[in-house]
């Protein structure tokens, strides 16, 4: 299911996934990281830097997305499922894409 | 004399044939023969409801096919024979990158093993590596090596963003990612042994000079005294000082 959601990463500058692998609540965050590295999603934006920050300090799993227009999306993956995180990111990316298209249409 | 005697067999041929479309009763002799030669299944010596229920074992045998057993044995073998086992998360990589990574790691005698969680989890749960269990979620790979070359492994993995080091078990010690990085910074065993031996040997090497320090100070003082007396004193005194110096 999670691999069927396609996310267009064009408006995204960088994604940092921070988690502590010895904690029990990191499964959805790790699955999210795995899905992000899928070739279809990576193909939408080759310049997007995806970094995995592996810690061992008992901190909560975190996904930090920096967009090209300065916006920031922080998702705390402890109580979220992978599908929820992907749909949230996907909807925001689509919204930004639409805005970009409208802006480029308005200004010829 | 004219009348022939028809054999009994022929009597059967009158009336309907052997194979009929309607139900036909068997000949009595045939019925008796079949009744006598009926199959009687062998009865077990102990009635089956008296034996302990063997239901559990057949279920496990069904689930654990030979292939699963073989894979488990391979994983156990890998854990037993290697000093360093690193667990990394594997995100999808192009195939040629996988081959390149395998090549570079093989140069440092590190083998890459793709493992399935449902095989590794039971193996770990029964062995002493229970604390590595939470690492095995999503796709993972194991980097096993009989040597502990953490520095080279980290250097190779730094160039591959799709493989994330989660933790390792080096010399029966479970380390996190930070622990592996610290371990890589340590000097090699031979270097640290040499340093320890050098530090321990430093003090005994100073013992002889320490012991000689008192008498050497005394001789220096006496020489200085003689020189001063020679400079300032009468010619009669120096031979006496020389005699005292000889004692």
């Amino acid at each position: 299911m999670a691999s069927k959601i396609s996310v267009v990463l064009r408006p995204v500058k960088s994604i940092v996934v921070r988690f502590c692998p010895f904690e029990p609540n990191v499964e959805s965050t790790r699955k999210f990281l795995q899905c992000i590295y899928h070739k279809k999603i990576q193909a939408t934006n080759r310049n997007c830097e995806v970094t995995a920050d592996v810690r061992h300090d008992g901190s909560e799993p975190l996904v930090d997305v920096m967009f090209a227009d300065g916006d920031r999306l922080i998702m705390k993956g402890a109580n979220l499922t992978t599908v929820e995180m992907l749909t949230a990111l996907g909807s925001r990316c689509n919204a930004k894409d639409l805005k970009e298209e409208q802006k480029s249409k308005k200004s010829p | 004399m004219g009348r022939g005697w028809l054999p009994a067999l022929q009597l059967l041929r009158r009336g309907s044939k052997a194979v009929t479309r309607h139900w036909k009763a068997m000949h009595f002799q045939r019925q008796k023969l079949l009744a006598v030669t009926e199959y009687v299944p062998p009865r077990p010596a102990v009635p089956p409801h008296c034996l302990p229920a063997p239901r559990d074992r057949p279920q496990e045998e069904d689930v654990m096919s030979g292939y699963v057993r073989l894979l488990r044995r391979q994983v156990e073998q890998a854990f037993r024979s290697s000093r360093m086992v690193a667990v990394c998360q594997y995100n999808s990589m192009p195939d040629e990158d996988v081959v390149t990574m395998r090549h570079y790691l093989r140069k440092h005698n590190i083998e890459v093993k793709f493992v399935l969680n449902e095989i590794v989890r039971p193996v770990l749960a029964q062995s002493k590596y229970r604390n590595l269990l939470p690492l095995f979620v999503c796709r993972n790979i194991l980097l096993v090596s009989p040597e502990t070359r953490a520095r080279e492994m980290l250097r190779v993995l730094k160039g591959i963003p799709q493989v994330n080091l989660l933790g390792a078990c080096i010399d029966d010690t479970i380390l996190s990612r930070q622990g592996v990085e610290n371990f890589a910074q340590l000097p090699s065993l031979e270097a640290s042994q040499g340093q320890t031996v050098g530090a321990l040997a430093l003090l005994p090497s100073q013992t002889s000079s320490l012991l000689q320090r008192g008498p050497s100070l005394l001789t220096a003082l006496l020489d200085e005294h003689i020189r001063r007396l020679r400079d300032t004193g009468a010619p009669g005194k120096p031979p006496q000082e020389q005699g005292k110096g000889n004692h």
Side-chain angles (χ1 to χ4, degrees), chain A residues 6-7 17 33 59 61 66 76-77 80 82-83 90 94 100-101 104:
Chain A
S6 60
V7 176
V17 183
L33 180 65
S59 57
M66 280 293 287
K76 298 207 175 149
L80 290 172
T82 317
V83 175
N94 289 338
E100 287 281 326
E101 276 180 29
S104 60

Side-chain angles (χ1 to χ4, degrees), chain B:
Chain B
M1 199 163 119
R3 239 182 349 155
W5 177 68
L6 289 164
L9 264 169
Q10 286 209 347
L11 281 165
L12 286 168
R13 286 192 195 150
R14 53 177 290 277
S16 51
K17 301 188 176 144
V19 179
T20 53
R21 288 186 189 182
H22 60 270
W23 178 80
K24 189 173 148 185
M26 264 193 247
H27 195 271
F28 190 62
Q29 280 173 355
R30 181 159 185 243
Q31 222 173 343
K32 279 197 283 188
L33 187 69
L34 285 179
V36 164
T37 56
E38 212 175 288
Y39 172 67
V40 176
R43 291 171 73 192
V46 182
H49 58 82
C50 292
L51 289 165
R55 277 179 230 136
D56 298 327
R57 259 174 272 140
Q59 271 181 12
E60 261 189 38
E61 298 266 325
D62 282 336
V63 169
M64 272 243 282
S65 71
Y67 185 51
V68 172
R69 253 181 283 145
L70 169 74
L71 290 171
R72 280 194 194 173
R73 238 181 299 143
Q74 279 184 345
V75 171
E76 280 164 21
Q77 172 68 25
F79 269 101
R80 228 180 302 142
S81 63
S82 55
R83 276 178 71 192
M84 173 169 82
V85 176
V87 184
C88 305
Q89 168 154 345
Y90 172 79
N91 306 310
S92 64
M93 251 159 79
D95 290 333
E96 51 268 17
D97 282 3
V98 178
V99 172
T100 322
M101 174 182 82
R102 270 206 144 114
H103 168 72
Y104 278 116
L105 286 172
R106 208 76 189 78
K107 275 193 178 169
H108 302 303
N109 202 5
I110 300 176
E111 204 185 316
V112 176
K113 279 189 177 289
F114 282 84
V115 288
L116 288 174
N117 293 334
E118 60 241 21
I119 292 170
V120 183
R121 284 188 142 251
V123 171
L124 287 183
Q126 288 158 10
S127 70
K128 56 184 173 175
Y129 304 102
R130 233 156 281 134
N131 291 326
L132 285 173
L133 267 177
L135 291 175
F136 286 92
V137 202
C138 308
R139 280 187 91 182
N140 300 298
I141 54 174
L142 286 181
L143 306 178
V144 297
S145 166
E147 303 159 20
T148 58
R149 294 163 81 167
R151 214 172 304 161
E152 288 89 355
M153 182 179 77
L154 280 175
R155 214 176 298 151
V156 174
L157 289 177
K158 214 190 291 188
I160 309 174
Q162 294 102 328
V163 170
N164 317 115
L165 177 65
L166 303 172
C169 179
I170 302 182
D171 281 337
D172 287 342
T173 317
I174 294 184
L175 298 168
S176 67
R177 195 208 166 97
Q178 191 59 44
V180 176
E181 284 166 11
N182 294 341
F183 178 80
Q185 303 291 330
L186 286 174
S188 71
L189 190 64
E190 291 81 21
S192 42
Q193 276 172 348
Q195 272 178 5
T196 321
V197 165
L200 285 173
L202 184 65
L203 287 174
S205 63
Q206 286 175 344
T207 316
S208 62
S209 52
L210 265 174
L211 286 172
Q212 283 178 354
R213 217 171 50 174
S216 59
L217 269 176
L218 181 63
T219 32
L221 277 171
L222 288 170
D223 283 335
E224 183 63 34
H225 189 60
I226 292 167
R227 216 175 300 133
R228 284 211 190 137
L229 286 172
R230 238 186 250 142
D231 289 339
T232 56
K237 279 199 185 161
Q240 278 181 5
E241 295 301 324
Q242 272 182 12
K244 276 191 194 156
N246 281 340
H247 275 301

Side-chain angles (χ1 to χ4, degrees), chain A residues 14 18 20 22 28 30 32 36 44 52 57 59 73 91 104:
Chain A
S14 74
R18 191 180 319 153
C20 174
F22 289 93
S28 56
R30 280 181 67 176
F32 176 82
I36 284 284
T44 58
D57 49 7
S59 57
L73 169 67
S91 62
S104 60

Side-chain angles (χ1 to χ4, degrees), chain A residues 19-86:
Chain A
F19 60 91
C20 174
F22 289 93
E23 296 288 315
N25 54 359
V26 296
E27 186 179 344
S28 56
T29 316
R30 280 181 67 176
K31 198 100 189 35
F32 176 82
L33 180 65
Q34 205 176 320
C35 295
I36 284 284
Y37 267 114
H38 202 261
K39 37 182 187 184
K40 278 191 205 154
I41 298 180
Q42 285 283 300
T44 58
N45 186 358
R46 296 259 174 226
N47 296 330
C48 178
E49 305 157 3
V50 184
T51 328
D53 191 4
V54 180
R55 304 256 180 102
H56 189 43
D57 49 7
S59 57
E60 288 186 0
L62 196 73
V63 177
D64 190 349
V65 186
M66 280 293 287
F67 290 96
D69 52 0
D71 282 354
R72 200 165 164 197
L73 169 67
I74 299 183
M75 294 192 275
K76 298 207 175 149
N79 294 318
L80 290 172
T81 64
T82 317
V83 175
E84 282 171 10
M85 289 199 270
L86 281 169

